[in-house]
């Protein structure tokens, strides 16, 4: 049995010769996280290189993902263009985020907490101090301002949660 909260790092790994700005941008974030454990003098030197790479890949990919954000392993960004993630938002392992997604805050404060194995459709907005449960799905262009239970589907603007419909063959 596979642990649902264990990251699948192969989802972020680059194959030789692969052109994937999303994976390269995530590699900068991972390098920044890894360098936090080095000696202070070495961390400063490595930080310059990581920041320069991060700025380059942010411009190429068109995504705004801060170096200090809290992202679980195994994130997939098939089309990173327009993805914006607030630095205080938390994203669980093995999520899928399509283009033009915003994960941020509202005037009242708070940032989203996204569980593991969550799929977020193109153009979706997750705003405020909400919690999205594990294995949830967010529809394209949904504006999510409420909590999404585990395994539910959120659609519309403002989003409403729908339970997952299971057919007779999948229940066996």
């Amino acid at each position: 049995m596979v642990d649902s909260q264990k990251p699948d790092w192969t989802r972020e790994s680059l194959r030789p010769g692969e052109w994937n700005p999303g994976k390269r941008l995530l590699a900068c974030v991972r390098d920044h996280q890894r360098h936090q454990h080095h000696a202070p003098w070495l961390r400063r030197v490595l930080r310059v290189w990581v920041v320069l790479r991060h700025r380059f890949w942010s411009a190429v990919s068109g995504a705004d993902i801060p170096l200090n954000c809290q992202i679980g392993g195994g994130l997939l960004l098939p089309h990173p263009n327009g993805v914006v993630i607030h630095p205080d938002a938390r994203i669980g392992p093995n999520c899928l985020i399509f283009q033009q997604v915003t994960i941020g805050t509202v005037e009242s404060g708070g940032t989203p907490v996204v569980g593991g194995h969550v799929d977020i459709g193109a153009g979706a907005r997750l705003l405020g101090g909400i919690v999205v449960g594990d294995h949830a799905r967010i529809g394209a262009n949904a504006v999510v301002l409420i909590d999404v239970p585990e395994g539910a589907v959120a659609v519309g603007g403002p989003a409403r949660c729908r339970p997952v419909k299971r057919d007779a063959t999948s229940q066996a």
Side-chain angles (χ1 to χ4, degrees), residues 34-89:
R34 198 170 28 259
H35 297 328
Q36 296 304 310
H37 305 291
H38 289 100
W41 65 271
L42 181 58
R43 187 174 34 214
R44 282 193 294 272
V45 172
L46 294 172
R47 180 173 168 75
V48 170
W49 175 241
V50 169
V51 167
L52 289 173
R53 283 180 36 229
H54 179 262
R55 287 184 182 173
F56 175 78
W57 288 111
S58 291
V60 169
S61 66
D64 183 8
I65 302 175
L67 282 170
N68 61 341
C69 60
Q70 302 168 42
I71 298 175
L75 178 65
L76 281 181
L77 294 168
H79 307 288
N81 183 275
V83 173
V84 178
I85 299 176
H86 191 279
D88 295 333

Side-chain angles (χ1 to χ4, degrees), residues 96-117:
L96 170 65
I97 300 176
F98 282 99
Q99 66 272 16
Q100 302 297 325
V101 168
T102 300
I103 301 175
T105 187
V106 291
E107 288 180 10
S108 58
T111 53
V113 175
V114 179
H117 299 272

